[in-house]
Amino acid sequence: KCAQPKRWKAYDGKITEMDTQYTLRAQELFEIYRSISMNDIPEDERIDVLLTVRRTVKEHQCKLTQEIVELIEREIDLIFRDVKECNLEGLRKRICTLFLQYIKTPKFNPEVARMLKVPPDPLKLYKNVNFCHSCENYLPSTEFPVPANSRTIGRCRLCWKLDNEAQQREAFLKYKLMLENLRKSEADYQDDAKIVFLVQHQDLQYMIENIWGCQSALSACSDLYDLVMVRWDKHHEWSPWNTILLTRDEADAHLKLHNLQEAYEAAFIHRIKHKHTRAKKYFAQFRAMASFLHRSDNWATAN
């Protein structure tokens, strides 16, 4: 069953078959097992089969594979000593049994994990082996990175790596450029701005995506390469609760305003203040921002 290709029926009724890396692995093991189970074959062919089995199991180092290798070497030695086949029957059966156990181990044959309703050794599985819900493989617990604040087992290291490689890097570059431009503009004010140098591009990404919706507050433009974050009130240093996301032209015009209350409608100002409140709640969890939040609250109360 493990060696059978994946099959599904298309809308026109035709059956499509596809081999995966796991079914191909199962096919390979199946052919080897069928060869090693055959009787009455010439000695040279038997030795070739034994060497194939040894080469296959030596890909993994464990007690089971070591035992299989030792039995194979023992049989090869007895064949060279011209021992009769009837005296090798018990040894060959043990090699077949151990190789079958090798095939039934998900670590060596991942496709068999779908067939095993009860693991061969439940206690060992519960303690040392976990199931990855992403690749659906049973893997040692050492293959699962578990953060200190996590209570569950997530994806295995390979799935994390594949997911990381599959992520689009273009977006990260955009946010890094936006943060660099923001820091340059804040340095030009020469008013000892500090908060902008505490914020990382991941924080900026969260603000733009979750608070500002990846679009200009005025024109709803969504081209990240044309968007910039500038001070909402230019008389106070930039912070997540004193900012606005605009296009470059809009930002230039915004920074020339002298009175925000006269330039913008009350509804628009209320909407911006609401976004600032959301930003405060998000950054309140960071200890480094606590003193700046307290200072901004005092400034807001004074105004």
Side-chain angles (χ1 to χ4, degrees):
K1 290 183 179 179
C2 294
Q4 292 177 354
K6 306 291 184 181
R7 306 179 69 221
W8 65 87
K9 183 183 292 186
Y11 69 93
D12 56 358
K14 293 183 178 179
I15 301 297
T16 302
E17 295 186 354
M18 182 188 71
D19 283 313
T20 66
Q21 57 177 337
Y22 299 141
T23 59
L24 292 175
R25 170 69 172 174
Q27 291 174 18
E28 177 189 359
L29 295 176
F30 174 65
E31 293 298 331
I32 295 174
Y33 179 77
R34 187 164 58 179
S35 299
I36 203 174
S37 302
M38 294 175 61
N39 298 319
D40 301 325
I41 61 174
E43 290 184 355
D44 56 342
E45 292 185 15
R46 176 68 184 180
I47 292 176
D48 288 341
V49 172
L50 291 173
L51 293 177
T52 302
V53 175
R54 185 176 68 174
R55 185 168 59 252
T56 302
V57 300
K58 286 187 74 173
E59 297 175 359
H60 306 88
Q61 294 294 330
C62 66
K63 185 178 179 180
L64 174 62
T65 58
Q66 291 175 359
E67 190 172 356
I68 294 175
V69 170
E70 290 176 0
L71 293 177
I72 289 174
E73 292 177 349
R74 186 185 306 173
E75 181 179 348
I76 293 176
D77 181 61
L78 293 176
I79 291 176
F80 285 140
R81 294 173 184 270
D82 295 327
V83 176
K84 294 181 180 180
E85 286 195 13
C86 60
N87 296 328
L88 297 175
E89 184 177 350
L91 179 59
R92 291 178 174 177
K93 285 185 178 179
R94 177 147 182 79
I95 292 176
C96 286
T97 301
L98 291 181
F99 188 67
L100 183 61
Q101 183 178 346
Y102 175 90
I103 293 175
K104 289 183 177 181
T105 305
K107 181 179 178 180
F108 312 133
N109 182 19
E111 189 67 18
V112 81
R114 298 190 302 107
M115 307 296 173
L116 295 179
K117 296 183 179 179
V118 179
D121 188 356
L123 293 178
K124 183 178 180 181
L125 177 64
Y126 296 152
K127 293 180 180 179
N128 301 318
V129 180
N130 293 301
F131 181 71
C132 177
H133 293 277
S134 180
C135 62
E136 298 184 348
N137 287 333
Y138 288 97
L139 300 169
S141 55
T142 55
E143 294 298 319
F144 292 84
V146 182
N149 59 348
S150 176
R151 297 183 179 180
T152 59
I153 299 295
R155 294 176 293 181
C156 65
R157 295 182 188 277
L158 179 59
C159 291
W160 276 109
K161 181 180 178 182
L162 291 175
D163 180 67
N164 182 57
E165 292 175 351
Q167 294 290 338
Q168 293 185 355
R169 303 299 179 192
E170 183 183 4
F172 292 130
L173 177 61
K174 293 178 181 178
Y175 296 120
K176 287 183 178 180
L177 291 174
M178 292 181 69
L179 183 58
E180 289 178 4
N181 293 332
L182 176 59
R183 287 175 174 174
K184 289 178 182 178
S185 63
E186 284 298 298
D188 292 339
Y189 281 101
Q190 298 181 352
D191 57 357
D192 196 25
K194 298 179 180 179
I195 299 178
V196 70
F197 297 100
L198 295 176
V199 175
Q200 303 300 314
H201 76 271
Q202 296 92 336
D203 302 321
L204 196 70
Q205 178 180 357
Y206 177 87
M207 292 171 56
I208 293 174
E209 293 181 354
N210 296 278
I211 297 179
W212 296 94
C214 294
Q215 61 184 15
S216 165
L218 283 174
S219 62
C221 173
S222 58
D223 183 6
L224 286 180
Y225 282 114
D226 190 41
L227 295 179
V228 293
M229 297 202 85
V230 296
R231 298 182 178 188
W232 166 249
D233 186 343
K234 63 181 179 181
H235 300 294
H236 297 275
E237 73 168 296
W238 182 94
S239 67
W241 46 90
N242 182 36
T243 186
I244 184 171
L245 183 64
L246 300 169
T247 64
R248 297 181 187 277
D249 294 337
E250 293 168 350
D252 292 339
H254 171 79
L255 295 175
K256 294 178 182 178
L257 298 176
H258 297 286
N259 192 322
L260 299 177
Q261 306 297 328
E262 295 179 358
Y264 297 117
E265 295 181 354
F268 179 80
I269 295 176
H270 177 75
R271 188 163 70 249
I272 300 300
K273 293 295 183 181
H274 176 67
K275 295 182 183 296
H276 292 169
T277 302
R278 292 178 57 190
K280 282 186 178 181
K281 289 183 179 179
Y282 173 74
F283 284 94
Q285 60 184 315
F286 302 111
R287 184 179 300 177
M289 292 288 188
S291 60
F292 295 105
L293 277 166
H294 181 70
R295 187 173 65 187
S296 68
D297 288 340
N298 292 336
W299 165 66
T301 303
N303 289 340

